[in-house]
Amino acid sequence: MELLAQADWNGYGGVGEYSNSNGNTFEVMTEAHKIRDHVFEPLPADVPDTGEQYDCVVVGGGISGLAAALFFARQGGRNRTCLVLENHPIFGGEAKGNEFLVDGQHVMAHQGSAMYFPPFAGTFLAGFYQSIGIPPDPFPYQTWTGKDPALPVANTPYPEGGRNSAFFFGPRFGKSAGMWLTDPWGKGLEGAPISSQARRELLKMQSGAADFQPPKQHGDEISRRLDSMSFEQHLMEKFGLSRETVRTFLSPVSGGGSGLGADALSAYADYAADVLLPWDHEKGVQMFPGGNAGVARHIVKSLIPDALPGPVTLESVARTPVDFTALDRPGTSRIRLRTTVVSVQHEAGSVKVVYARDGKLASVRARSVIVAGGSWTAKHIVKDLPAPHRDAYAQFYRAPCLMANVAVRNWRFLYKLGISECQWFEGIGNYTAVRKLATFGAVSPTLSPDSPVVLTLKILFSNPELSIAEQVSSGRAELISTPFRGYEKRIREQFTMMFGSLGFDARRDIAGIILNRWGHAYLSAQPGFFFGKDGKPGPGEVLRNTPFDRISFANSDLAGIMDHRTSILEAHRAVGQALERIRT
């Protein structure tokens, strides 16, 4: 596979602090692939030792790593030292944002991790969020303005299927000029160019009419049965759907948002978050202007206050520029960016951590290490892993995702049809939606059809009939080998095909496109991931419950649920294990 040039890979990054860190940039990818390609094996004998020694080194500066550093600072006792090593130009992992300046107005979107679910009062997560300055109340959002009658607009980028939604059918369905079906569920799919069988099946699924009791507890009989089958099998069994209907209309966006189609995923993946992470539905799902970059920023503000000067308010933390010089100043808690860890190994009663930075290797020592990066690097960098840990990591499959954020100068072409969200079943992407932004970001307080907005396309790579391993590798190969201009062309053509008849002109109306390439975006939990097979525990349980001497493991992929809340909970558990080892 031919490696693209840097300019062909990164493309436009927008404006602001995240403009040089849109997804896995070319620099981040090529440095990480040196680990995969064993460039650092064996390590040179003369790797410089910085002379630094820490009580804890955290590998990975995403939400799990940042939360681990904060928990360590709070629970470790006075003067405990911690260093976070992060390979991107800014902290957050997949919890970062994109920002555009469109005709003088700022508009924002998420790069990956998106939604914030208000927890129930009195829970661990409720206490954590409040401790970092995130209040329990719903966020303030943009309000409707202008002469046009208001149209419902949600505060997330995910279609909700109301009267303001539509389905688009194109050449795949015999509609070469394309056709729109507005309020498809309200109309009972009447007029959709699909078979009567598919219509019956989809309406039955939409009605929820099925003799099925969802799991109530993690590990109960229902959850274990679901984990023994694919989500595709479950949909066919639960609603009587045909395999063709599942793969045409529901994949790859079904299955708990785990990156692949329903054929490859555990059926329990679609229920696990609701079982393990209950939240206050009355408050409604919330979203920071740049997605869960807001959570990451609040954690950093609590960990290193000078890094985000100013008060601990939603507006200040969202709008205040990061003081990057404060992140790695001498102190009890530090964050070192643009630093790729290549080796973590026990040595003489401590752990030696070797990293690459600015083309050079260096090492630090730690009394404990928390590996909070994803499974795809952890399995390579932690040396001498015991066989059970190696076997567990061999069962982790991470699927790629391309998050494409398209800034448009207005969305009147959608308003003309009476919609603010839509889905389609051919071409690139599957859905998009206009969303209201939380106003504590540097955005306009109002919204109208003439406002600039960002339309997000989550582009997944589903290849039914292939094994899960083949699906993730073939999708990653496509993600890596397609140049920016190739994806840009496909997105412009997709928008023109769908919206051209509504007055949309790609050259005039698109103000910018940012691609966020995530080569290992989702832990795609295959059947058996959660509770194991053949009497053996699930792979995540092995790593969660069994630290490797002074090395503990975090990251949301251990839970099998790609959610920032599991990132936090896994960090809390890993810190407890690290402190227990230090204290004994």
Side-chain angles (χ1 to χ4, degrees):
M1 180 171 56
E2 183 180 353
L3 190 63
L4 300 174
Q6 183 165 346
D8 287 336
W9 173 272
N10 290 340
Y12 176 62
V15 300
E17 295 172 322
Y18 298 93
S19 61
N20 64 347
S21 191
N22 52 310
N24 294 134
T25 60
F26 184 86
E27 176 187 19
V28 167
M29 177 197 65
T30 52
E31 200 64 33
H33 280 184
K34 292 179 183 178
I35 300 171
R36 179 200 65 184
D37 297 336
H38 309 289
V39 170
F40 305 106
E41 297 178 14
L43 284 168
D46 58 349
V47 173
D49 188 333
T50 66
E52 297 169 283
Q53 297 189 43
Y54 295 90
D55 291 304
C56 184
V57 166
V58 177
V59 179
I63 285 183
S64 203
L66 297 173
L70 184 57
F71 288 133
F72 191 85
R74 289 175 170 178
Q75 299 170 25
R78 192 174 180 180
N79 298 325
R80 294 280 192 194
T81 55
C82 182
L83 172 67
V84 178
L85 300 174
E86 164 60 28
N87 60 338
H88 287 78
I90 189 170
F91 53 79
E94 290 184 33
K96 295 202 287 283
N98 291 146
E99 183 177 356
F100 299 84
L101 186 62
V102 181
D103 301 332
Q105 290 192 51
H106 287 265
V107 285
M108 301 177 187
H110 58 300
Q111 290 194 22
S113 182
M115 297 191 295
Y116 166 70
F117 302 90
F120 287 111
T123 61
F124 175 83
L125 284 172
F128 176 74
Y129 289 132
Q130 291 188 55
S131 79
I132 61 173
I134 300 176
D137 304 317
F139 297 158
Y141 291 93
Q142 292 171 320
T143 55
W144 191 269
T145 190
K147 298 180 297 183
D148 298 289
L151 188 70
V153 176
N155 53 15
T156 79
Y158 302 103
E160 298 180 349
R163 296 181 63 182
N164 60 312
S165 67
F167 286 170
F168 176 82
F169 299 95
R172 182 181 185 184
F173 299 88
K175 300 294 180 181
S176 57
M179 73 156 281
W180 285 98
L181 180 64
T182 59
D183 189 17
W185 299 118
K187 293 176 179 175
L189 296 178
E190 191 65 37
I194 61 177
S195 70
S196 57
Q197 177 185 341
R199 181 179 293 109
R200 285 194 305 271
E201 292 178 4
L202 290 170
L203 289 174
K204 181 180 178 182
M205 182 200 69
Q206 182 67 11
S207 72
D211 184 19
F212 171 76
Q213 290 296 320
K216 292 181 172 57
Q217 290 186 327
H218 187 71
D220 65 14
E221 182 180 348
I222 299 174
S223 62
R224 290 180 180 274
R225 182 173 183 277
L226 288 168
D227 191 41
S228 71
M229 68 176 75
S230 73
F231 188 50
E232 182 174 85
Q233 290 173 300
H234 172 55
L235 289 171
M236 294 168 67
E237 178 184 284
K238 179 180 177 181
F239 295 113
L241 302 182
S242 67
R243 182 170 278 107
E244 180 182 3
T245 294
V246 173
R247 295 184 180 182
T248 300
F249 299 102
L250 304 180
S251 283
V253 294
S254 59
S258 296
L260 297 179
D263 62 296
L265 301 172
S266 164
Y268 185 55
D270 202 52
Y271 298 89
D274 288 336
V275 173
L276 286 169
L277 301 167
W279 58 282
D280 192 345
H281 288 255
E282 289 189 6
K283 292 182 177 177
V285 65
Q286 306 295 308
M287 192 165 170
F288 289 86
N292 286 324
V295 177
R297 293 173 76 89
H298 275 268
I299 296 174
V300 170
K301 172 65 175 173
S302 297
L303 184 67
I304 307 174
D306 289 347
L308 284 156
V312 185
T313 63
L314 290 172
E315 183 170 313
S316 178
V317 173
R319 299 189 183 196
T320 301
V322 175
D323 181 353
F324 287 93
T325 65
L327 293 175
D328 199 14
R329 287 179 187 153
T332 54
S333 298
R334 304 172 70 166
I335 300 172
R336 189 164 296 164
L337 302 174
R338 299 180 184 271
T339 302
T340 302
V341 174
V342 302
S343 175
V344 178
Q345 187 165 19
H346 292 98
E347 187 176 286
S350 64
V351 185
K352 181 179 180 180
V353 180
V354 179
Y355 60 78
R357 193 165 192 254
D358 297 327
K360 300 176 182 178
L361 294 177
S363 68
V364 299
R365 293 188 178 272
R367 298 178 66 198
S368 66
V369 168
I370 296 173
V371 177
S375 53
W376 68 97
T377 53
K379 65 183 180 182
H380 292 296
I381 64 175
V382 181
K383 306 304 178 184
D384 302 324
L385 269 174
H389 294 69
R390 291 198 306 272
D391 293 343
Y393 270 133
Q395 298 173 63
F396 282 68
Y397 297 99
R398 297 279 306 216
C401 172
L402 175 65
M403 294 292 285
N405 282 320
V406 183
V408 293
R409 291 191 160 82
N410 65 77
W411 55 284
R412 188 159 287 280
F413 57 94
L414 293 174
Y415 185 84
K416 183 184 298 184
L417 196 61
I419 65 172
S420 58
E421 59 180 51
C422 57
Q423 292 180 257
W424 58 94
F425 313 99
E426 59 193 295
I428 189 167
N430 302 93
Y431 61 86
T432 195
V434 178
R435 74 175 179 102
K436 296 179 291 188
L437 295 176
T439 53
F440 51 79
V443 298
S444 169
T446 59
L447 180 72
S448 79
D450 295 314
S451 301
V453 295
V454 179
L455 298 177
T456 299
L457 276 66
K458 180 189 286 188
I459 299 161
L460 303 174
F461 303 86
S462 174
N463 292 286
E465 308 297 346
L466 296 180
S467 70
I468 188 168
E470 292 171 321
Q471 287 199 47
V472 297
S473 19
S474 65
R476 194 170 298 122
E478 179 183 331
L479 179 73
I480 290 174
S481 62
T482 305
F484 177 91
R485 62 182 180 275
Y487 278 126
E488 180 187 36
K489 181 174 184 290
R490 289 175 62 189
I491 291 168
R492 287 177 175 272
E493 289 174 347
Q494 185 77 33
F495 274 38
T496 298
M497 176 177 70
M498 296 192 301
F499 307 132
S501 64
L502 305 177
F504 172 83
D505 182 288
R507 181 170 295 182
R508 179 194 66 208
D509 296 331
I510 292 180
I513 297 175
I514 300 176
L515 301 183
N516 303 287
R517 303 178 193 246
W518 299 109
H520 306 264
Y522 291 100
L523 186 282
S524 297
Q526 72 276 19
F529 181 88
F530 292 95
F531 304 112
K533 285 182 173 181
D534 305 322
K536 297 179 180 179
E541 288 303 300
V542 173
L543 296 159
R544 296 175 80 249
N545 296 334
T546 318
F548 173 33
D549 196 4
R550 294 177 178 270
I551 302 170
S552 302
F553 304 91
N555 197 280
S556 61
D557 60 5
L558 301 188
I561 305 170
M562 294 292 93
D563 189 296
H564 86 276
R565 294 171 293 174
T566 56
S567 297
I568 294 166
L569 295 171
E570 295 297 338
H572 186 255
R573 184 259 316 146
V575 167
Q577 292 170 334
L579 288 172
E580 182 179 355
R581 184 65 183 85
I582 289 175
R583 289 166 179 163
T584 57

